[in-house]
Amino acid sequence: MDTLASKSTHRNWLICLLAPLVLTMAGCNINVIDLTPSTMKANPSNVYTITAQIKVKNSSVIKESLRPQIVIDGKVHPMSLAPGSNNLFEYDYRMPSGRSEAAFYMLVHYDQKIENGATTKEIVTELNRFSVENRYTVELEVNRAPVGTRVAVLGRGFTQTDKILVGDTPAATRFDSSTSLSFYVPSLPEGRGYAVKVMGISGEIIAGTLRIDSSRVSVRLQPSTIAQGQSSLLVFTIPEEAPPGGLQIDVQTDIPDSVIMDFVRIEAGQRSTSIPVQGGSPGSGNLFITMPGYSEVVVPITVN
């Protein structure tokens, strides 16, 4: 009978020992729930908090006797009660230089009331790990902007080889520091959101979503009525400087035989450009100016 009781006690102890980190098996007196994230962002102090929640399941457990410890790097350290909490315990671990991950498990000693007094028991959790992420994005400086705007990406671990894509379109990227990149919003259709990705030798990081708002290009034709064979000057002005690579302007007309002009482009860093428009066959109609990210502009034109 004693042998059977001994085997039963040993089996219950194994259940508590081998149960997952959230110990919910019947017969265990406490639950130990590891709240430590599997990945943490690197910080200048190189200190990372390991947290556990300990719940008492059995009224025979003396709650004040809980003595949680953490075993990490082969050493045992006491865990402290988190400020303002009655069941959260913490340990601040200083990651050794040159390392980016750690493995640990927890020991919880406690006293349990028995008929003739109290006995000390122990819970051992499973092995757990966490890693430190040295390269990540925190946020976009803004979540919406018109074409040509310079936008910052804040984070950590950036390098001079990093490039930014807006949607699938490469954006002119500037390396500001290991914690900041910036890019110029490329000429893309307005009114929708685009995923912003940081591409580097270490892989791809999603920085967020940027909505490209519509901007307006100012267009003037002086004069708007011209004689056949003569020219007028078509002037374009945008509110922001053209991004690296420049902006291509598409000009269409409903009187193609009356309008003679070259392709139009605003060069990088410029806010305006002009081009001569020569009168062809007599006619009256419109010029339709479109640029991705800008509202369409319609300019009337008459050729006598």
Side-chain angles (χ1 to χ4, degrees):
M1 198 70 176
D2 290 339
T3 301
L4 289 175
S6 175
K7 287 183 178 179
S8 176
T9 301
H10 182 66
R11 184 172 63 251
N12 288 340
W13 181 84
L14 282 177
I15 289 174
C16 288
L17 176 62
L18 299 177
L21 208 54
V22 180
L23 299 171
T24 58
M25 300 297 291
C28 298
N29 294 309
I30 63 174
N31 286 349
V32 182
I33 305 172
D34 180 27
L35 302 178
T36 308
S38 59
T39 303
M40 300 191 214
K41 290 180 170 58
N43 64 72
S45 300
N46 212 25
V47 174
Y48 305 93
T49 301
I50 298 171
T51 306
Q53 183 181 53
I54 301 178
K55 294 183 177 181
V56 175
K57 293 175 56 181
N58 193 320
S59 60
S60 66
V61 173
I62 302 173
K63 189 173 182 180
E64 294 76 15
S65 71
L66 291 175
R67 299 181 297 280
Q69 297 173 309
I70 183 168
V71 182
I72 189 167
D73 295 340
K75 297 180 181 180
V76 181
H77 305 275
M79 300 183 74
S80 304
L81 193 63
S85 174
N86 61 3
N87 63 3
L88 292 180
F89 292 84
E90 299 177 334
Y91 174 70
D92 286 339
Y93 172 67
R94 185 178 295 277
M95 182 75 75
S97 177
R99 277 178 46 188
S100 60
E101 62 180 16
F104 64 92
Y105 64 93
M106 299 174 194
L107 299 173
V108 182
H109 296 91
Y110 63 94
D111 296 334
Q112 185 174 2
K113 299 174 185 175
I114 57 175
E115 185 177 352
N116 297 323
T119 184
T120 298
K121 294 195 173 185
E122 179 185 81
I123 290 290
V124 183
T125 71
E126 69 178 12
L127 189 69
N128 200 13
R129 301 176 184 274
F130 73 90
S131 60
V132 175
E133 192 174 45
N134 287 296
R135 175 180 166 84
Y136 55 84
T137 59
V138 176
E139 61 180 351
L140 290 173
E141 179 187 28
V142 296
N143 59 12
R144 60 193 305 163
V147 170
T149 304
R150 182 178 167 187
V151 177
V153 178
L154 307 178
R156 183 184 176 91
F158 297 141
T159 69
Q160 294 186 3
T161 61
D162 288 332
K163 299 298 180 184
I164 290 179
L165 298 182
V166 180
D168 294 322
T169 302
T173 305
R174 173 174 170 174
F175 173 78
D176 299 318
S177 70
S178 63
T179 59
S180 177
L181 296 173
S182 58
F183 67 96
Y184 293 89
V185 180
S187 183
L188 290 168
E190 74 280 6
R192 54 172 289 192
Y194 297 86
V196 177
K197 294 170 281 189
V198 180
M199 308 295 294
I201 58 176
S202 300
E204 172 186 305
I205 307 174
I206 302 297
T209 300
L210 179 74
R211 180 182 177 86
I212 297 183
D213 287 325
S214 176
S215 190
R216 186 170 180 83
V217 55
S218 172
V219 185
R220 302 192 318 275
L221 181 63
Q222 297 176 333
S224 59
T225 299
I226 56 178
Q228 187 177 14
Q230 293 186 343
S231 296
S232 179
L233 196 63
L234 189 61
V235 181
F236 302 84
T237 305
I238 55 176
E240 301 283 346
E241 292 181 357
L247 289 175
Q248 191 72 34
I249 302 175
D250 182 32
V251 182
Q252 302 290 333
T253 182
D254 52 4
I255 49 171
D257 293 336
S258 303
V259 176
I260 303 170
M261 61 180 294
D262 290 330
F263 294 106
V264 188
R265 181 183 183 82
I266 300 180
E267 297 300 332
Q270 302 299 311
R271 293 184 55 198
S272 65
T273 190
S274 61
I275 189 170
V277 177
Q278 185 177 355
S281 302
S284 182
N286 296 289
L287 301 176
F288 302 93
I289 292 91
T290 57
M291 301 164 57
Y294 292 83
S295 301
E296 183 184 55
V297 177
V298 180
V299 177
I301 183 171
T302 299
V303 178
N304 291 333

